[in-house]
Structures are given as C-alpha cells and as structure tokens.
Amino acid sequence: FILMPTIHTAVRDSGEVVEDAVFAGLDFDYIGPNGIFMALICATLGVWLFAFAYKKGWTIKMPKGVPPAVADSFAALVPSALVMGAAFLVRIGFSFTEFGYFQDFVVAILQTPLEGLGDTLGANALYSFMCTFFWFFGINGPAVCNSVFFIGNVLTAKQLIAFEAGKALPYIFTNPFSNFFCNFGGGGSTLSLVILMVTVCKSERIKQLGKLSIVPGFFGINEPIIFGLPVVLNPVIAIPFILVPMMNLILSYFATLWGIIPRTTGVNLPWTTPIGFSGWLATGSWRASVWQIFLLVLGMMIYYPFIRTLDKKYLAEEAAAANESSEEDDISFDDLDLDNL
C-alpha cells in the first residue's frame, strides 16, 4: 500500500482524460490484475528484509516473565519499521523518475511484456511440455511450472474484467483455457487413456486400475495412473502423455482463433469441473463442450497403439506368473521320496 499510486489522472466513463484534473485514492486497477506482480515482489522482498533484520537481532528484547505474545509483538517492531522505511525510500526515489511510482515501473517493465509473452502459442506450448516432462520423472509438473509461469492469473483476471464490461475478450490463453481445453482427466490428458484401459485392454492389471481411476479421472485426478500404471519412467506411455496435451493446446488455439469455439470468459472454475460442463461454463457455449468431446476421442486414437503395446506386455507377464503358480501348486504325495528318511 505504501508503494501504490495514490494520485491519479481523472478519466471520464468514455475514456476521455480530463485535463488538469486529478483525484486521490486507490485505483481498483492497481489492486486488481495490475497489482499481482507488485504483490508478489513486495511479499518476497518484504519478508526477506524482515527475516534479515530479525536474525541480526535488531529487535526490542523484553525482560523475562513478559508473556510470549507481548514479547513477540515488541520484537517485530524494528524489523517492521525497517520494511516500511525501505518502502517509503523506494517510493520517494521513484517520484523523481518518469514512472512516478514503483508500481507503474513494475507494470511497464515487467508485467506488460510478460502479458504479451503469456498469450503466445510458443510460451504455452513450452509450459505444456515442461509440465508433462516433469511428471515423467514423478515431479508434479504444474506445481513446479506455475511458480514461474503465473502470468495466466493476470490474463484471467483481465479477461473477466473485459467480459463484465461487455468489451471484446482480449486473450486466448487464460487459466480456464489451459485447464479445460488442454488436459482432460489431469496431466497428460489421461482421461482418454483411462477410457481405453477400461474398454479395450485385456490385461487384468490394466483393467482393474482403469476401473479404479475412471471416476477420479472425470474430475481431473490421475495420480493412480501416474504412479500405478505407471506413467513415471515409462517410455512407452511417455510419448502420448506429452504429445496429446500439446495437440489439444495447438488445435484449441486455432479453433479459438478461427471462431470455432468462443474465448473463455475469465470465470475461474475449479479445475476439477468435469469435461463437457467445464467447456460450456468456461465459455458460455455448447460448442466448447462438443469440442472437448472431439479432443477426448482424438486423444484416445493417439493413446491406443501405445496402451495396446503395454497391454500385451502385461498380458505376457500375467500368463508367465500364472504358469509359475500352477507348477508350484501341482504337488502330489506320490512325489515324496521316503527312502532317504
């Protein structure tokens, strides 16, 4: 709040700037999408500076016998004052620059270029690849990548503002787009895979795992497949696991660009919203639901030869295990040799 702009140029509802007219206060734009990067920077640097001062012992120490809650409150005074003082110095320093405020500097230099990058096919294709690539090694890909590629939160918030204002929707790559048009059933778009496991596979191992995973898969939960099939360190399944989300991303991008499906409205639905419902709720159009089903079937076609290869391998292993079991169980008292007793 110390670093936020508090003096603003007056603008009419039509967008016309009123000359020589300003107003004081907090602009909602700076505590909305344009404040996300600022909040991240302040939270990171503020906590680091507070912890640095606290570890250095720059605190007010109370005598023994003072309640811990009171002692902790006094101990936080100097580090907190240091953080606020640093914020005031930054604010004063930027008042002598062309930006005027540190937040305007962050928006112009960092956030705006990243917004342009975040709405490109190349950046999102790289994000999709890295998410599935990490999953191949047993690492939660989105949890890692979202800590870096969080520009989607800004684009989604701005998309919602434009939608509520009745303006043209500016972005394609929002969080709902990534959640509901690239991956069905979790990372790797494994809902296509699970349906094949239940319907066409003959291996008992795969069929039972598919039955256990089909319901969670409709809600985007696929850890049973990731670690149970497994996908982790499985070169056979890794190929479609990486390829299918990438295909969904590229096809959905061009489908949106060419008007086959509408752009998402920016409404942040839970990522567990099932296929069909999610497309309709995210865009307001039934065409998006039909598109999701089309991509699901297309994903099944790509997964099919790979899961059939794995199915044959597991069938052979199960047959070998069954033969060994039958040989061990085929024991008769006639085979006992009592002569050496």
Side-chain angles (χ1 to χ4, degrees):
F1 278 100
I2 293 172
L3 294 171
M4 278 185 183
T6 52
I7 304 297
H8 311 279
T9 303
V11 181
R12 303 186 191 276
D13 292 337
S14 60
E16 178 188 357
V17 176
V18 182
E19 295 184 6
D20 299 327
V22 296
F23 69 92
L26 295 177
D27 191 332
F28 278 105
D29 191 41
Y30 287 103
I31 56 177
N34 282 340
I36 292 179
F37 273 79
M38 180 70 171
L40 290 169
I41 292 172
C42 289
T44 302
L45 297 182
V47 171
W48 177 84
L49 185 57
F50 183 97
F52 175 80
Y54 198 91
K55 290 177 181 178
K56 287 292 185 179
W58 301 342
T59 60
I60 299 175
K61 297 177 174 62
M62 302 298 290
K64 294 182 179 179
V66 175
V70 176
D72 290 343
S73 299
F74 275 90
L77 287 177
V78 173
S80 298
L82 182 63
V83 172
M84 289 187 286
F88 275 115
L89 290 176
V90 172
R91 180 184 179 118
I92 293 170
F94 269 90
S95 67
F96 296 104
T97 68
E98 60 178 322
F99 297 101
Y101 294 93
F102 180 64
Q103 188 158 5
D104 287 330
F105 168 78
V106 170
V107 171
I109 300 301
L110 180 62
Q111 181 165 323
T112 300
L114 284 177
E115 285 180 15
L117 178 65
D119 198 41
T120 62
L121 179 60
N124 283 272
L126 177 62
Y127 167 79
S128 176
F129 170 79
M130 292 307 299
C131 285
T132 48
F133 182 73
F134 278 123
W135 266 129
F136 175 72
F137 295 99
I139 302 169
N140 190 318
V144 174
C145 295
N146 288 346
S147 62
V148 178
F149 195 76
F150 50 80
I151 190 64
N153 296 321
V154 177
L155 302 184
T156 304
K158 288 195 169 186
Q159 189 92 321
L160 182 59
I161 291 174
F163 174 72
E164 291 175 338
K167 298 179 180 178
L169 301 179
Y171 304 113
I172 292 178
F173 292 106
T174 62
N175 288 344
F177 180 92
S178 176
N179 291 337
F180 304 132
F181 294 104
C182 301
N183 289 285
F184 308 112
S189 197
T190 52
L191 183 58
S192 299
L193 173 63
V194 174
I195 294 174
L196 290 173
M197 291 169 62
V198 174
T199 56
V200 303
C201 291
K202 298 179 181 179
S203 164
E204 196 63 28
R205 170 181 172 180
I206 293 180
K207 288 175 66 177
Q208 291 299 327
L209 181 61
K211 292 176 182 178
L212 291 172
S213 305
I214 189 71
V215 174
F218 276 106
F219 296 94
I221 299 169
N222 67 343
E223 276 75 8
I225 299 297
I226 297 289
F227 300 104
L229 187 60
V231 171
V232 175
L233 300 179
N234 187 336
V236 176
I237 296 298
I239 297 173
F241 186 78
I242 295 174
L243 181 62
V244 172
M246 192 76 69
M247 174 199 69
N248 293 344
L249 174 76
I250 295 172
L251 291 180
S252 296
Y253 168 75
F254 284 108
T256 306
L257 197 64
W258 296 336
I260 299 173
I261 59 174
R263 301 191 179 204
T264 57
T265 60
V267 175
N268 245 330
L269 299 169
W271 58 268
T272 53
T273 307
I275 184 174
F277 294 101
S278 57
W280 173 54
L281 293 173
T283 63
S285 172
W286 59 268
R287 288 180 296 161
S289 299
V290 174
W291 179 257
Q292 288 180 309
I293 303 300
F294 167 73
L295 292 179
L296 180 70
V297 174
L298 204 57
M300 292 171 61
M301 295 171 63
I302 295 177
Y303 266 112
Y304 179 78
F306 297 93
I307 191 60
R308 285 296 292 155
T309 300
L310 197 63
D311 186 42
K312 291 178 182 178
K313 176 186 176 183
Y314 287 169
L315 270 175
E317 292 176 356
E318 290 170 5
N323 290 334
E324 291 179 5
S325 177
S326 63
E327 291 175 0
E328 292 175 359
D329 293 341
D330 190 16
I331 299 176
S332 172
F333 285 106
D334 296 334
D335 297 331
L336 294 176
D337 185 6
L338 303 179
D339 294 336
N340 295 325
L341 291 178

